[in-house]
Amino acid sequence: MRRLFVAGNWKMNKTIAEAEVLVQEMLPRVDAFANVDKAVCPPYTALPAVAACCKNTGLKVGTQNLYWEESGAYTGEIAPKMVAEICDYAIVGHSERREYFAETDETVNKRLKAALAAGLHVIVCVGETLEENEAGQTEAVVTRQLTQGLAGISEAQAADITIAYEPVWAIGTGRAATPEDANDVHKDVIRPLLAKQFGEKRAQAMRIQYGGSIKPDNAAELFSMSDIDGGLVGGASLTADSFVSIIEAASMVAIVMAETES
Ligand code: PEP
């Protein structure tokens, strides 16, 4: 059975002081849900403070991005080893990076390799736009993003990768994919691609998160699906109440799944 994994992407929100308040509010409440893996991804400036608060707790910390070079004249960028001093996780290929910052499948692949080499666990985001969805291109887009994004990655390295399927039209819109539609993409497109590259056993062990307007009231239904292994949460990770409720929903689903399996 795959452990559910819920990560919060705070995007460009929260000053250091605000981030500390938020994480201190979350910590005593999320630690109770030990059967769920959980992480928050604050902006760079708040990473050290949030990591200090999360030290020796079950709440892990991730970066929202990183560059692939080790050091040098790359003004404004941050190197893998710099974030690895603070973080356990890295998000790469978020659709906002693709849309606003010219991220391509090739640069996703470079960031992924550099992050893995630095010892980070990486969340690789994929997902189609509304236009692509309406044109029936979901499978083709996700297949291209994964094939190119994961190029050259070995079965052993895949142990440190989570895929996040985030249909772009569902991000920040309040219009989540239906659990059935999302699960179809996870089960019939993404997992078979992982199996083709890494073998069936590794593919079955890898987590595939869903992302796009997850809220406390739709989380349990999404996480109950066979191939939705948690979520990448944007807006609803910005308040303790909603993020904790989503983790609680994951925990309840995990209890039911464990009972069903035994
Ligand atoms: C995201 O940015 O990864 C995301 C899923 O955002 P939201 O939950 O706000 O749709």
Side-chain angles (χ1 to χ4, degrees):
M1 196 178 89
R2 294 178 291 269
R3 264 172 80 83
L4 293 178
F5 172 29
V6 178
N9 172 13
W10 293 3
K11 309 193 187 190
M12 197 175 71
N13 293 291
K14 307 293 175 188
T15 62
I16 296 171
E18 290 166 349
E20 279 176 324
V21 169
L22 177 57
V23 81
Q24 293 290 12
E25 236 186 292
M26 289 174 174
L27 272 171
R29 298 165 66 188
V30 295
D31 243 1
F33 305 114
N35 59 349
V36 176
D37 288 340
K38 43 212 174 281
V40 287
C41 303
Y44 293 136
T45 47
L47 278 174
V50 170
C53 296
C54 292
K55 202 168 177 202
N56 301 324
T57 76
L59 187 61
K60 303 295 172 200
V61 178
T63 179
Q64 298 170 22
N65 189 31
L66 78 182
Y67 196 54
W68 56 82
E69 294 292 348
E70 281 186 22
S71 63
Y74 303 103
T75 302
E77 292 299 329
I78 189 152
K81 68 178 179 211
M82 296 172 184
V83 283
E85 283 183 314
I86 311 172
C87 299
D88 296 299
Y89 288 89
I91 299 173
V92 302
H94 192 280
S95 65
E96 288 150 16
R97 303 271 345 147
R98 293 177 191 260
E99 184 180 354
Y100 305 130
F101 303 101
E103 186 85 82
T104 64
D105 296 324
E106 197 191 342
T107 59
V108 170
N109 184 253
K110 287 182 173 186
R111 289 181 215 280
L112 169 62
K113 286 176 175 162
L116 290 170
L120 292 158
H121 182 107
V122 188
I123 301 173
V124 180
C125 302
V126 295
E128 81 287 0
T129 63
L130 181 60
E131 213 180 13
E132 291 162 342
N133 180 280
E134 287 174 345
Q137 294 169 348
T138 300
E139 178 168 354
V141 170
V142 170
T143 300
R144 189 206 71 225
Q145 290 174 332
L146 273 183
T147 309
Q148 296 181 14
L150 300 180
I153 299 297
S154 68
E155 187 266 343
Q157 286 175 306
D160 285 319
I161 296 175
T162 293
I163 307 297
Y165 169 58
E166 301 203 296
V168 179
W169 47 269
I171 296 179
T173 59
R175 183 186 155 204
T178 66
E180 293 74 19
D181 285 350
N183 198 56
D184 284 351
V185 177
H186 289 214
K187 185 162 158 287
D188 300 335
V189 180
I190 298 177
R191 209 170 300 281
L193 282 168
L194 299 176
K196 196 170 152 204
Q197 182 166 349
F198 305 124
E200 190 59 35
K201 190 163 173 233
R202 173 63 64 205
Q204 286 302 330
M206 288 174 76
R207 268 95 59 102
I208 306 173
Q209 296 175 320
Y210 164 78
S213 297
I214 298 181
K215 304 281 177 229
D217 60 3
N218 62 13
E221 213 189 334
L222 285 159
F223 300 158
S224 301
M225 302 305 293
S226 66
D227 286 71
I228 298 183
D229 309 314
L232 184 54
V233 184
S237 70
L238 291 173
T239 67
D241 280 349
S242 52
F243 193 57
V244 172
S245 298
I246 291 167
I247 289 169
E248 183 176 8
S251 177
M252 297 303 140
V253 169
I255 290 170
V256 173
M257 284 180 350
E259 279 168 3
T260 317
E261 282 215 349
S262 63

